[in-house]
C-alpha cells in the first residue's frame, strides 16, 4: 500500500495555481502527482538518483550506458518494444544522463497512461532478466558511436570534457563527464552492469512523477499495482564529497590545436552550488553578462568591437559540487585570443565594481522567469522539474517557487557574487587554435559575394 507523505491542497505562493501531492510506496518509491486537465495528455517522469558522480575510476560511463540499456528490453518487453509500444500509442519518450541523475520520460495520450506506468515498472523490476552480453555489447557500441559523433569528431566537441577535467581536480566525482571514456566502456563487464543496476535502479532510489490529465486515485492504484512488488535495495553508497574551495586560487589553462572553424576562448568559473541564494545571484549575473544578444559581452565583443561572431555566458547548475559559469566566445577571423581575454576581463571587472543597472536586473529576471514558465508550461517539463527538486533537494514543491527566489535576488547580491567569483584566478581556460589558416576578411567578403550570386541564379 502507498503511504501519503503530505498533500498540497492549496495553491502555493508563486505557483501560478499549480499543485502537487506526494506519496511513498512501502518499497520506498516516491510518487508525485499533479493534475492538469487542460489537454488530454499525461507525462510520466522517473528520476533515478544516479549519475556520473557515482561512478568509480576505471568504470566511467556506466550511468550513461545504462540509460541506453534500459531501452534494450526487459522481461515482458523484448528488443525495441518500449519505443514501439509508446510511439504506437501516440506517445513520445526518451532518457538522459547527467552528473547527478538519470531520467526517463514518456508523454502519452491520457488514456494510455497505464501503459507508460507498466513499461517503466517492467524495466525497473525485470531488466536483469533480459540483460545479457549481447545486449550489453550492442549498446556499448551505440554509446561509443555516440561519443564519436558528439564529442570526438565534431568541432569543439571535447570542450566540455576538457574544461570539466580542468575545473574539477583529479579524483573529484565531477572530474569526468557522463559520456565516459572509450577505454572504460570497453572494460565494463556484464557483472559490472548487473551490479550497477541492482545498486541504483531500485524503487527506493527513484522518484516517479505523473502530471497532466489524470485521476490521482486511479493513478496511485496503477503505481501500486505495477511498482509495489519491486523490492528495494540498501547497498547504495552516498556519492563522494564534491565540495571545493570557493575559488580555484589560480588560472588553469589548456590550448588545443584542432581543425576548427575559428579560434575560441572558453572558460569555466567556479560558482556556488544550486539551491542556494548565491547560486541564484550568479544565474542573474551571467544572464546580464552573457545571456543572449542584449548581454554585455555580446554587445562588447560582437556588436561594438566585432572581434567575435558569438559570445555567451551561462550557468551549469550543480547541487553536489560547485556550479560552473560557462563562457564561450568564437572569434572573428584574424582576431587573437589575448585581445578577447582583455575585453572579457575589462567587462567582468567593470561589472564587479559597478554592478548591474536597474534595467539590466529587470530584463535578466524577466528572462529567467520566462524560462521557468516555459519549463512548467508543459506537462513533461513540469514532471521533470518535480522530479528534479525531489531528488536533488528533497522537496518537489520547490519547483513551484523557484522563480520567487530568483526574483528576490538584489542588485547588490549580483555585484557581490561577480566580484567574489568572476575573477581571473577562479577559472579554467580552454583555447582553441585552428590547425588550418583562418579565412582573411577579404576572403570572407569574396565568399559572401559568391553566395549571393549563387542565390540569385
Amino acid at each position: 500500500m502507498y503511504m501519503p507523505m503530505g498533500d498540497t491542497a492549496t495553491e502555493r505562493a508563486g505557483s501560478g495555481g499549480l499543485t502537487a501531492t506526494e506519496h511513498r510506496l512501502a518499497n520506498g518509491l516516491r510518487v508525485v502527482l499533479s493534475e492538469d486537465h487542460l489537454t488530454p495528455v499525461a507525462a510520466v517522469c522517473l528520476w533515478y538518483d544516479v549519475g556520473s558522480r557515482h561512478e568509480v575510476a576505471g568504470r566511467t560511463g556506466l550511468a550513461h550506458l545504462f540509460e541506453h540499456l534500459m531501452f534494450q528490453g526487459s522481461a515482458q518487453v523484448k528488443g525495441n518494444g518500449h519505443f514501439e509500444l509508446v510511439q504506437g500509442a501516440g506517445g513520445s519518450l526518451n532518457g538522459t544522463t547527467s552528473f547527478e541523475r538519470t531520467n526517463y520520460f514518456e508523454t502519452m495520450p491520457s488514456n494510455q497512461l497505464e501503459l507508460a506506468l507498466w513499461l517503466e515498472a517492467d524495466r525497473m523490476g525485470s531488466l536483469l532478466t533480459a540483460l545479457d552480453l549481447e545486449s550489453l555489447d550492442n549498446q556499448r557500441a551505440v554509446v561509443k558511436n555516440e561519443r564519436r559523433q558528439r564529442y570526438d569528431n565534431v568541432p569543439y566537441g571535447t570542450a566540455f570534457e576538457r574544461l570539466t577535467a580542468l575545473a574539477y581536480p583529479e579524483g573529484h566525482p565531477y572530474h569526468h563527464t557522463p559520456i565516459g571514456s572509450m577505454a572504460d566502456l570497453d572494460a565494463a563487464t556484464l557483472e559490472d552492469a548487473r551490479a550497477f543496476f541492482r545498486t541504483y535502479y531500485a524503487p527506493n532510489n527513484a522518484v516517479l512523477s505523473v502530471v497532466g490529465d489524470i485521476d490521482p486515485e486511479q493513478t496511485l492504484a496503477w503505481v501500486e499495482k505495477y511498482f509495489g512488488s519491486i523490492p528495494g535495495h540498501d547497498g547504495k553508497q552516498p556519492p563522494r564529497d564534491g565540495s571545493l574551495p570557493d575559488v580555484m586560487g589560480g588560472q588553469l589553462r589548456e590550448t588545443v590545436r584542432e581543425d576548427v572553424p575559428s579560434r575560441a576562448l572558453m572558460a569555466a568559473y567556479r560558482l556556488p552550488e544550486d539551491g542556494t541564494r548565491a547560486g541564484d545571484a550568479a544565474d542573474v549575473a551571467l544572464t546580464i553578462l552573457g545571456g543572449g544578444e542584449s548581454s554585455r559581452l555580446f554587445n562588447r565583443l560582437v556588436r561594438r568591437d566585432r572581434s567575435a561572431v558569438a559570445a555567451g555566458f551561462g550557468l551549469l547548475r550543480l547541487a553536489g559540487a560547485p556550479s560552473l559559469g560557462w563562457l564561450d566566445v568564437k572569434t572573428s577571423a584574424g582576431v587573437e585570443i589575448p585581445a578577447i581575454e582583455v575585453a572579457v576581463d575589462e567587462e567582468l571587472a567593470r561589472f564587479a565594481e559597478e554592478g548591474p543597472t536597474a534595467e539590466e536586473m529587470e530584463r535578466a529576471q524577466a528572462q529567467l522567469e520566462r524560462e521557468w514558465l516555459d519549463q512548467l508550461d508543459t506537462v513533461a517539463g513540469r514532471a521533470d522539474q518535480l522530479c528534479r527538486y525531489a531528488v536533488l533537494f528533497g522537496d518537489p514543491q520547490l519547483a513551484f517557487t523557484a522563480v520567487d527566489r530568483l526574483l528576490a535576488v538584489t542588485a547588490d547580491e549580483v555585484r557581490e557574487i561577480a566580484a567574489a567569483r568572476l575573477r581571473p584566478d577562479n577559472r579554467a581556460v580552454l583555447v582553441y587554435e585552428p590547425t588550418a589558416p583562418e579565412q582573411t576578411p577579404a576572403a570572407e567578403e569574396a565568399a559572401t559575394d559568391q553566395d549571393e550570386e549563387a542565390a540569385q541564379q
Side-chain angles (χ1 to χ4, degrees):
M1 293 294 292
Y2 69 85
M3 297 175 289
M5 289 182 58
D7 194 336
T8 306
T10 58
E11 298 176 9
R12 297 189 54 148
S15 70
L18 302 175
T19 62
T21 59
E22 303 171 54
H23 314 268
R24 190 188 293 273
L25 302 193
N27 60 9
L29 178 67
R30 292 181 68 183
V31 183
V32 184
L33 307 180
S34 180
E35 286 185 80
D36 181 351
H37 300 290
L38 186 62
T39 56
V41 295
V44 172
C45 186
L46 190 59
W47 272 45
Y48 290 92
D49 186 10
V50 57
S52 57
R53 67 171 174 167
H54 296 86
E55 297 165 350
V56 298
R59 289 298 183 270
T60 64
L62 273 174
H64 179 240
L65 178 59
F66 246 100
E67 175 207 319
H68 287 257
L69 287 170
M70 287 284 276
F71 290 101
Q72 187 66 9
S74 50
Q76 310 296 326
V77 183
K78 305 302 180 185
N80 202 41
H82 195 111
F83 276 100
E84 293 169 356
L85 287 167
V86 170
Q87 293 172 343
S92 61
L93 71 162
N94 214 331
T96 66
T97 311
S98 76
F99 290 102
E100 300 179 325
R101 59 96 183 105
T102 308
N103 67 352
Y104 303 90
F105 42 91
E106 295 90 5
T107 300
M108 306 286 282
S110 51
N111 64 347
Q112 297 293 334
L113 171 59
E114 184 179 9
L115 172 63
L117 293 171
W118 174 75
L119 285 167
E120 288 293 357
D122 189 62
R123 60 182 176 182
M124 178 192 281
S126 69
L127 187 95
L128 285 186
T129 304
L131 181 60
D132 56 21
L133 188 57
E134 180 181 359
S135 60
L136 175 62
D137 286 343
N138 176 282
Q139 292 307 302
R140 189 200 323 260
V142 170
V143 172
K144 289 171 67 176
N145 192 49
E146 179 184 341
R147 181 185 169 88
R148 294 184 190 99
Q149 291 180 340
R150 295 177 55 193
Y151 287 74
D152 298 335
N153 298 330
V154 294
Y156 317 107
T158 59
F160 182 61
E161 192 172 46
R162 291 174 184 274
L163 263 183
T164 299
L166 279 176
Y168 300 110
E170 187 78 37
H172 190 274
Y174 292 68
H175 179 72
H176 71 277
T177 56
I179 193 67
S181 72
M182 287 291 198
D184 287 356
L185 288 168
D186 284 334
T189 67
L190 183 58
E191 186 47 45
D192 288 334
R194 287 173 172 163
F196 194 88
F197 181 86
R198 283 192 294 266
T199 301
Y200 296 109
Y201 279 78
N204 54 318
N205 195 48
V207 173
L208 171 70
S209 67
V210 186
V211 175
D213 184 29
I214 65 172
D215 177 330
E217 186 176 348
Q218 177 62 77
T219 302
L220 280 173
W222 284 331
V223 171
E224 174 62 39
K225 177 181 179 181
Y226 297 121
F227 289 89
S229 62
I230 303 172
H233 188 276
D234 297 326
K236 176 188 172 184
Q237 297 297 312
R240 289 168 291 144
D241 181 20
S243 61
L244 290 168
D246 285 352
V247 296
M248 297 180 189
Q251 185 175 138
L252 306 170
R253 196 177 189 90
E254 180 181 346
T255 299
V256 180
R257 299 186 183 278
E258 284 186 359
D259 183 13
V260 293
S262 67
R263 294 186 177 95
L265 171 68
M266 302 184 189
Y269 291 77
R270 188 177 292 173
L271 293 172
E273 290 82 357
D274 193 12
T276 63
R277 190 175 177 97
D280 288 335
D283 204 354
V284 176
L286 298 194
T287 302
I288 293 169
L289 287 164
E293 295 186 2
S294 64
S295 66
R296 289 195 179 198
L297 289 176
F298 191 93
N299 279 323
R300 167 71 185 270
L301 298 171
V302 180
R303 284 206 173 97
R304 196 194 89 178
D305 295 354
R306 298 188 178 181
S307 58
V309 296
F313 208 178
L315 181 64
L316 174 63
R317 286 179 173 263
L318 296 169
S323 301
L324 293 181
W326 206 268
L327 175 71
D328 187 349
V329 180
K330 304 296 192 310
T331 70
S332 300
V335 175
E336 302 284 345
I337 292 297
I340 298 291
E341 285 190 276
V342 167
V344 167
D345 286 342
E346 285 178 358
E347 290 301 318
L348 297 188
R350 183 165 68 89
F351 188 75
E353 181 179 352
E354 300 173 0
T357 66
E359 181 183 357
E360 286 176 325
M361 284 292 294
E362 182 179 3
R363 185 168 59 240
Q365 288 175 316
Q367 181 176 331
L368 292 168
E369 182 179 24
R370 184 177 65 250
E371 292 171 2
W372 174 81
L373 289 170
D374 286 344
Q375 289 174 337
L376 296 192
D377 186 51
T378 66
V379 292
R382 198 177 318 150
D384 187 61
Q385 289 300 306
L386 289 169
C387 278
R388 173 178 173 240
Y389 281 95
V391 169
L392 298 181
F393 305 106
D395 183 4
Q397 308 291 347
L398 292 172
F400 295 142
T401 57
V403 73
D404 298 329
R405 294 183 289 278
L406 277 167
L407 297 179
V409 169
T410 68
D412 284 342
E413 290 173 306
V414 171
R415 187 200 63 76
E416 288 168 5
I417 199 66
R421 301 295 191 99
L422 301 181
R423 303 165 11 190
D425 65 344
N426 186 39
R427 69 184 175 203
V429 176
L430 187 63
V431 173
Y432 276 90
E433 290 285 349
T435 52
E438 291 184 300
Q439 285 187 310
T440 64
E444 286 182 337
E445 184 177 346
T448 301
D449 291 343
Q450 291 170 0
D451 290 342
E452 290 175 352
E453 290 173 5
Q456 293 169 2
Q457 292 174 353

